[in-house]
PDB file of all heavy atoms in Angstrom:
ATOM      1  N   ASN A   1       1.625  13.717 -19.604  1.00 96.00           N
ATOM      2  CA  ASN A   1       1.602  15.166 -19.791  1.00 96.00           C
ATOM      3  C   ASN A   1       1.583  15.847 -18.432  1.00 96.00           C
ATOM      4  O   ASN A   1       1.292  15.225 -17.414  1.00 96.00           O
ATOM      5  CB  ASN A   1       0.436  15.620 -20.673  1.00 96.00           C
ATOM      6  CG  ASN A   1      -0.915  15.422 -20.018  1.00 96.00           C
ATOM      7  OD1 ASN A   1      -1.027  14.816 -18.958  1.00 96.00           O
ATOM      8  ND2 ASN A   1      -1.955  15.935 -20.640  1.00 96.00           N
ATOM      9  N   ILE A   2       1.891  17.131 -18.451  1.00 96.00           N
ATOM     10  CA  ILE A   2       1.869  17.961 -17.248  1.00 96.00           C
ATOM     11  C   ILE A   2       1.014  19.175 -17.579  1.00 96.00           C
ATOM     12  O   ILE A   2       1.201  19.813 -18.616  1.00 96.00           O
ATOM     13  CB  ILE A   2       3.286  18.390 -16.822  1.00 96.00           C
ATOM     14  CG1 ILE A   2       4.130  17.159 -16.486  1.00 96.00           C
ATOM     15  CG2 ILE A   2       3.227  19.353 -15.636  1.00 96.00           C
ATOM     16  CD1 ILE A   2       5.589  17.457 -16.244  1.00 96.00           C
ATOM     17  N   ALA A   3       0.064  19.480 -16.701  1.00 93.00           N
ATOM     18  CA  ALA A   3      -0.833  20.612 -16.931  1.00 93.00           C
ATOM     19  C   ALA A   3      -0.946  21.430 -15.664  1.00 93.00           C
ATOM     20  O   ALA A   3      -0.902  20.895 -14.555  1.00 93.00           O
ATOM     21  CB  ALA A   3      -2.211  20.112 -17.363  1.00 93.00           C
ATOM     22  N   LYS A   4      -1.106  22.726 -15.818  1.00 88.00           N
ATOM     23  CA  LYS A   4      -1.313  23.631 -14.679  1.00 88.00           C
ATOM     24  C   LYS A   4      -2.803  23.884 -14.557  1.00 88.00           C
ATOM     25  O   LYS A   4      -3.454  24.304 -15.505  1.00 88.00           O
ATOM     26  CB  LYS A   4      -0.568  24.946 -14.919  1.00 88.00           C
ATOM     27  CG  LYS A   4      -0.865  26.007 -13.886  1.00 88.00           C
ATOM     28  CD  LYS A   4       0.266  26.130 -12.929  1.00 88.00           C
ATOM     29  CE  LYS A   4       0.093  27.347 -12.037  1.00 88.00           C
ATOM     30  NZ  LYS A   4      -0.252  27.014 -10.697  1.00 88.00           N
ATOM     31  N   LEU A   5      -3.329  23.584 -13.379  1.00 79.00           N
ATOM     32  CA  LEU A   5      -4.728  23.891 -13.114  1.00 79.00           C
ATOM     33  C   LEU A   5      -4.856  25.385 -12.827  1.00 79.00           C
ATOM     34  O   LEU A   5      -3.984  25.962 -12.179  1.00 79.00           O
ATOM     35  CB  LEU A   5      -5.228  23.090 -11.916  1.00 79.00           C
ATOM     36  CG  LEU A   5      -5.272  21.581 -12.069  1.00 79.00           C
ATOM     37  CD1 LEU A   5      -5.730  20.938 -10.774  1.00 79.00           C
ATOM     38  CD2 LEU A   5      -6.192  21.192 -13.207  1.00 79.00           C
ATOM     39  N   PRO A   6      -5.918  26.034 -13.292  1.00 86.00           N
ATOM     40  CA  PRO A   6      -6.089  27.462 -12.993  1.00 86.00           C
ATOM     41  C   PRO A   6      -6.064  27.700 -11.481  1.00 86.00           C
ATOM     42  O   PRO A   6      -6.861  27.127 -10.740  1.00 86.00           O
ATOM     43  CB  PRO A   6      -7.468  27.788 -13.575  1.00 86.00           C
ATOM     44  CG  PRO A   6      -7.725  26.713 -14.593  1.00 86.00           C
ATOM     45  CD  PRO A   6      -7.009  25.492 -14.085  1.00 86.00           C
ATOM     46  N   GLY A   7      -5.116  28.483 -11.034  1.00 86.00           N
ATOM     47  CA  GLY A   7      -4.990  28.786  -9.617  1.00 86.00           C
ATOM     48  C   GLY A   7      -4.543  27.618  -8.766  1.00 86.00           C
ATOM     49  O   GLY A   7      -4.622  27.661  -7.550  1.00 86.00           O
ATOM     50  N   GLY A   8      -4.086  26.541  -9.394  1.00 86.00           N
ATOM     51  CA  GLY A   8      -3.701  25.347  -8.652  1.00 86.00           C
ATOM     52  C   GLY A   8      -2.316  24.858  -9.017  1.00 86.00           C
ATOM     53  O   GLY A   8      -1.558  25.540  -9.696  1.00 86.00           O
ATOM     54  N   PRO A   9      -1.993  23.661  -8.570  1.00 92.00           N
ATOM     55  CA  PRO A   9      -0.658  23.108  -8.801  1.00 92.00           C
ATOM     56  C   PRO A   9      -0.527  22.497 -10.197  1.00 92.00           C
ATOM     57  O   PRO A   9      -1.499  22.366 -10.937  1.00 92.00           O
ATOM     58  CB  PRO A   9      -0.575  22.009  -7.741  1.00 92.00           C
ATOM     59  CG  PRO A   9      -1.991  21.528  -7.634  1.00 92.00           C
ATOM     60  CD  PRO A   9      -2.831  22.765  -7.783  1.00 92.00           C
ATOM     61  N   LEU A  10       0.694  22.095 -10.503  1.00 95.00           N
ATOM     62  CA  LEU A  10       0.940  21.306 -11.704  1.00 95.00           C
ATOM     63  C   LEU A  10       0.478  19.885 -11.440  1.00 95.00           C
ATOM     64  O   LEU A  10       0.786  19.320 -10.393  1.00 95.00           O
ATOM     65  CB  LEU A  10       2.436  21.265 -12.023  1.00 95.00           C
ATOM     66  CG  LEU A  10       3.093  22.552 -12.495  1.00 95.00           C
ATOM     67  CD1 LEU A  10       4.601  22.350 -12.571  1.00 95.00           C
ATOM     68  CD2 LEU A  10       2.546  22.970 -13.836  1.00 95.00           C
ATOM     69  N   LEU A  11      -0.267  19.310 -12.358  1.00 96.00           N
ATOM     70  CA  LEU A  11      -0.663  17.909 -12.255  1.00 96.00           C
ATOM     71  C   LEU A  11      -0.053  17.147 -13.412  1.00 96.00           C
ATOM     72  O   LEU A  11      -0.085  17.600 -14.555  1.00 96.00           O
ATOM     73  CB  LEU A  11      -2.186  17.749 -12.295  1.00 96.00           C
ATOM     74  CG  LEU A  11      -2.961  18.145 -11.057  1.00 96.00           C
ATOM     75  CD1 LEU A  11      -4.441  17.811 -11.234  1.00 96.00           C
ATOM     76  CD2 LEU A  11      -2.428  17.473  -9.807  1.00 96.00           C
ATOM     77  N   ALA A  12       0.499  15.993 -13.070  1.00 97.00           N
ATOM     78  CA  ALA A  12       1.071  15.121 -14.092  1.00 97.00           C
ATOM     79  C   ALA A  12       0.191  13.890 -14.234  1.00 97.00           C
ATOM     80  O   ALA A  12      -0.199  13.283 -13.233  1.00 97.00           O
ATOM     81  CB  ALA A  12       2.487  14.700 -13.705  1.00 97.00           C
ATOM     82  N   ARG A  13      -0.123  13.557 -15.470  1.00 97.00           N
ATOM     83  CA  ARG A  13      -0.802  12.281 -15.726  1.00 97.00           C
ATOM     84  C   ARG A  13       0.306  11.269 -15.927  1.00 97.00           C
ATOM     85  O   ARG A  13       1.187  11.460 -16.772  1.00 97.00           O
ATOM     86  CB  ARG A  13      -1.698  12.369 -16.952  1.00 97.00           C
ATOM     87  CG  ARG A  13      -2.581  11.145 -17.113  1.00 97.00           C
ATOM     88  CD  ARG A  13      -3.725  11.389 -18.064  1.00 97.00           C
ATOM     89  NE  ARG A  13      -3.280  11.869 -19.349  1.00 97.00           N
ATOM     90  CZ  ARG A  13      -3.336  11.176 -20.474  1.00 97.00           C
ATOM     91  NH1 ARG A  13      -3.842   9.973 -20.488  1.00 97.00           N
ATOM     92  NH2 ARG A  13      -2.899  11.695 -21.600  1.00 97.00           N
ATOM     93  N   VAL A  14       0.298  10.205 -15.106  1.00 98.00           N
ATOM     94  CA  VAL A  14       1.391   9.232 -15.132  1.00 98.00           C
ATOM     95  C   VAL A  14       0.862   7.820 -15.333  1.00 98.00           C
ATOM     96  O   VAL A  14      -0.257   7.486 -14.940  1.00 98.00           O
ATOM     97  CB  VAL A  14       2.237   9.284 -13.836  1.00 98.00           C
ATOM     98  CG1 VAL A  14       2.911  10.637 -13.686  1.00 98.00           C
ATOM     99  CG2 VAL A  14       1.409   8.960 -12.608  1.00 98.00           C
ATOM    100  N   ARG A  15       1.721   7.013 -15.950  1.00 98.00           N
ATOM    101  CA  ARG A  15       1.472   5.581 -16.107  1.00 98.00           C
ATOM    102  C   ARG A  15       2.577   4.841 -15.358  1.00 98.00           C
ATOM    103  O   ARG A  15       3.738   5.234 -15.411  1.00 98.00           O
ATOM    104  CB  ARG A  15       1.538   5.172 -17.576  1.00 98.00           C
ATOM    105  CG  ARG A  15       0.420   5.693 -18.407  1.00 98.00           C
ATOM    106  CD  ARG A  15       0.509   5.152 -19.839  1.00 98.00           C
ATOM    107  NE  ARG A  15      -0.517   5.761 -20.645  1.00 98.00           N
ATOM    108  CZ  ARG A  15      -0.304   6.351 -21.802  1.00 98.00           C
ATOM    109  NH1 ARG A  15       0.900   6.370 -22.328  1.00 98.00           N
ATOM    110  NH2 ARG A  15      -1.292   6.902 -22.465  1.00 98.00           N
ATOM    111  N   THR A  16       2.168   3.775 -14.677  1.00 97.00           N
ATOM    112  CA  THR A  16       3.122   2.925 -13.986  1.00 97.00           C
ATOM    113  C   THR A  16       2.825   1.478 -14.360  1.00 97.00           C
ATOM    114  O   THR A  16       1.817   1.203 -15.015  1.00 97.00           O
ATOM    115  CB  THR A  16       3.004   3.072 -12.453  1.00 97.00           C
ATOM    116  OG1 THR A  16       1.825   2.397 -12.023  1.00 97.00           O
ATOM    117  CG2 THR A  16       2.956   4.528 -12.017  1.00 97.00           C
ATOM    118  N   ARG A  17       3.662   0.562 -13.897  1.00 96.00           N
ATOM    119  CA  ARG A  17       3.405  -0.866 -14.140  1.00 96.00           C
ATOM    120  C   ARG A  17       2.150  -1.356 -13.436  1.00 96.00           C
ATOM    121  O   ARG A  17       1.614  -2.399 -13.776  1.00 96.00           O
ATOM    122  CB  ARG A  17       4.596  -1.713 -13.679  1.00 96.00           C
ATOM    123  CG  ARG A  17       5.761  -1.635 -14.630  1.00 96.00           C
ATOM    124  CD  ARG A  17       6.861  -2.542 -14.166  1.00 96.00           C
ATOM    125  NE  ARG A  17       7.707  -1.733 -13.298  1.00 96.00           N
ATOM    126  CZ  ARG A  17       8.583  -2.187 -12.453  1.00 96.00           C
ATOM    127  NH1 ARG A  17       8.743  -3.487 -12.305  1.00 96.00           N
ATOM    128  NH2 ARG A  17       9.315  -1.390 -11.727  1.00 96.00           N
ATOM    129  N   ILE A  18       1.685  -0.591 -12.443  1.00 97.00           N
ATOM    130  CA  ILE A  18       0.533  -1.054 -11.667  1.00 97.00           C
ATOM    131  C   ILE A  18      -0.693  -0.161 -11.833  1.00 97.00           C
ATOM    132  O   ILE A  18      -1.671  -0.319 -11.110  1.00 97.00           O
ATOM    133  CB  ILE A  18       0.906  -1.217 -10.176  1.00 97.00           C
ATOM    134  CG1 ILE A  18       1.407   0.087  -9.579  1.00 97.00           C
ATOM    135  CG2 ILE A  18       1.909  -2.348 -10.001  1.00 97.00           C
ATOM    136  CD1 ILE A  18       1.636   0.042  -8.081  1.00 97.00           C
ATOM    137  N   GLY A  19      -0.662   0.763 -12.781  1.00 97.00           N
ATOM    138  CA  GLY A  19      -1.832   1.588 -13.050  1.00 97.00           C
ATOM    139  C   GLY A  19      -1.494   3.023 -13.401  1.00 97.00           C
ATOM    140  O   GLY A  19      -0.325   3.412 -13.456  1.00 97.00           O
ATOM    141  N   ASP A  20      -2.540   3.790 -13.640  1.00 97.00           N
ATOM    142  CA  ASP A  20      -2.411   5.177 -14.092  1.00 97.00           C
ATOM    143  C   ASP A  20      -3.192   6.098 -13.168  1.00 97.00           C
ATOM    144  O   ASP A  20      -4.236   5.710 -12.636  1.00 97.00           O
ATOM    145  CB  ASP A  20      -3.001   5.349 -15.493  1.00 97.00           C
ATOM    146  CG  ASP A  20      -2.455   4.364 -16.506  1.00 97.00           C
ATOM    147  OD1 ASP A  20      -1.398   3.765 -16.252  1.00 97.00           O
ATOM    148  OD2 ASP A  20      -3.106   4.201 -17.547  1.00 97.00           O
ATOM    149  N   THR A  21      -2.716   7.337 -13.044  1.00 97.00           N
ATOM    150  CA  THR A  21      -3.438   8.357 -12.281  1.00 97.00           C
ATOM    151  C   THR A  21      -2.883   9.722 -12.628  1.00 97.00           C
ATOM    152  O   THR A  21      -1.965   9.850 -13.439  1.00 97.00           O
ATOM    153  CB  THR A  21      -3.368   8.105 -10.757  1.00 97.00           C
ATOM    154  OG1 THR A  21      -4.343   8.929 -10.110  1.00 97.00           O
ATOM    155  CG2 THR A  21      -1.989   8.346 -10.187  1.00 97.00           C
ATOM    156  N   SER A  22      -3.418  10.745 -11.997  1.00 97.00           N
ATOM    157  CA  SER A  22      -2.884  12.106 -12.071  1.00 97.00           C
ATOM    158  C   SER A  22      -2.559  12.547 -10.661  1.00 97.00           C
ATOM    159  O   SER A  22      -3.348  12.323  -9.736  1.00 97.00           O
ATOM    160  CB  SER A  22      -3.917  13.056 -12.680  1.00 97.00           C
ATOM    161  OG  SER A  22      -4.175  12.711 -14.019  1.00 97.00           O
ATOM    162  N   VAL A  23      -1.389  13.169 -10.494  1.00 97.00           N
ATOM    163  CA  VAL A  23      -0.926  13.621  -9.182  1.00 97.00           C
ATOM    164  C   VAL A  23      -0.132  14.916  -9.342  1.00 97.00           C
ATOM    165  O   VAL A  23       0.239  15.294 -10.454  1.00 97.00           O
ATOM    166  CB  VAL A  23      -0.054  12.550  -8.488  1.00 97.00           C
ATOM    167  CG1 VAL A  23      -0.886  11.348  -8.070  1.00 97.00           C
ATOM    168  CG2 VAL A  23       1.084  12.115  -9.373  1.00 97.00           C
ATOM    169  N   ARG A  24       0.134  15.575  -8.213  1.00 97.00           N
ATOM    170  CA  ARG A  24       0.888  16.827  -8.237  1.00 97.00           C
ATOM    171  C   ARG A  24       2.331  16.570  -8.669  1.00 97.00           C
ATOM    172  O   ARG A  24       2.991  15.660  -8.164  1.00 97.00           O
ATOM    173  CB  ARG A  24       0.847  17.481  -6.851  1.00 97.00           C
ATOM    174  CG  ARG A  24       1.319  18.921  -6.872  1.00 97.00           C
ATOM    175  CD  ARG A  24       1.054  19.625  -5.555  1.00 97.00           C
ATOM    176  NE  ARG A  24       2.086  19.242  -4.596  1.00 97.00           N
ATOM    177  CZ  ARG A  24       1.852  18.630  -3.445  1.00 97.00           C
ATOM    178  NH1 ARG A  24       0.642  18.308  -3.085  1.00 97.00           N
ATOM    179  NH2 ARG A  24       2.842  18.342  -2.638  1.00 97.00           N
ATOM    180  N   TRP A  25       2.816  17.384  -9.577  1.00 97.00           N
ATOM    181  CA  TRP A  25       4.175  17.269 -10.095  1.00 97.00           C
ATOM    182  C   TRP A  25       5.049  18.299  -9.396  1.00 97.00           C
ATOM    183  O   TRP A  25       4.772  19.497  -9.437  1.00 97.00           O
ATOM    184  CB  TRP A  25       4.179  17.501 -11.604  1.00 97.00           C
ATOM    185  CG  TRP A  25       5.528  17.431 -12.228  1.00 97.00           C
ATOM    186  CD1 TRP A  25       6.258  18.467 -12.717  1.00 97.00           C
ATOM    187  CD2 TRP A  25       6.314  16.248 -12.456  1.00 97.00           C
ATOM    188  NE1 TRP A  25       7.445  18.009 -13.230  1.00 97.00           N
ATOM    189  CE2 TRP A  25       7.505  16.656 -13.085  1.00 97.00           C
ATOM    190  CE3 TRP A  25       6.123  14.899 -12.185  1.00 97.00           C
ATOM    191  CZ2 TRP A  25       8.504  15.757 -13.446  1.00 97.00           C
ATOM    192  CZ3 TRP A  25       7.113  14.016 -12.549  1.00 97.00           C
ATOM    193  CH2 TRP A  25       8.283  14.433 -13.169  1.00 97.00           C
ATOM    194  N   CYS A  26       6.125  17.842  -8.745  1.00 97.00           N
ATOM    195  CA  CYS A  26       7.028  18.727  -8.018  1.00 97.00           C
ATOM    196  C   CYS A  26       8.396  18.821  -8.689  1.00 97.00           C
ATOM    197  O   CYS A  26       9.387  19.186  -8.053  1.00 97.00           O
ATOM    198  CB  CYS A  26       7.154  18.256  -6.568  1.00 97.00           C
ATOM    199  SG  CYS A  26       5.599  18.363  -5.680  1.00 97.00           S
ATOM    200  N   GLY A  27       8.421  18.501  -9.957  1.00 96.00           N
ATOM    201  CA  GLY A  27       9.649  18.603 -10.735  1.00 96.00           C
ATOM    202  C   GLY A  27       9.626  19.853 -11.600  1.00 96.00           C
ATOM    203  O   GLY A  27       8.835  20.775 -11.371  1.00 96.00           O
TER     204      GLY A  27
END
């Protein structure tokens, strides 16, 4: 999913073959 933090950037929750995290989405 992609969520906008109040007053902040878009963060994407991502899954990869080596783990999961949330990071800034620039798409």
Side-chain angles (χ1 to χ4, degrees):
N1 68 352
I2 298 172
K4 173 104 170 108
L5 295 178
L10 291 172
L11 286 185
R13 189 163 54 111
V14 297
R15 291 184 185 128
T16 74
R17 284 183 269 163
I18 59 173
D20 307 342
T21 194
S22 295
V23 291
R24 193 170 80 240
W25 179 252
C26 296

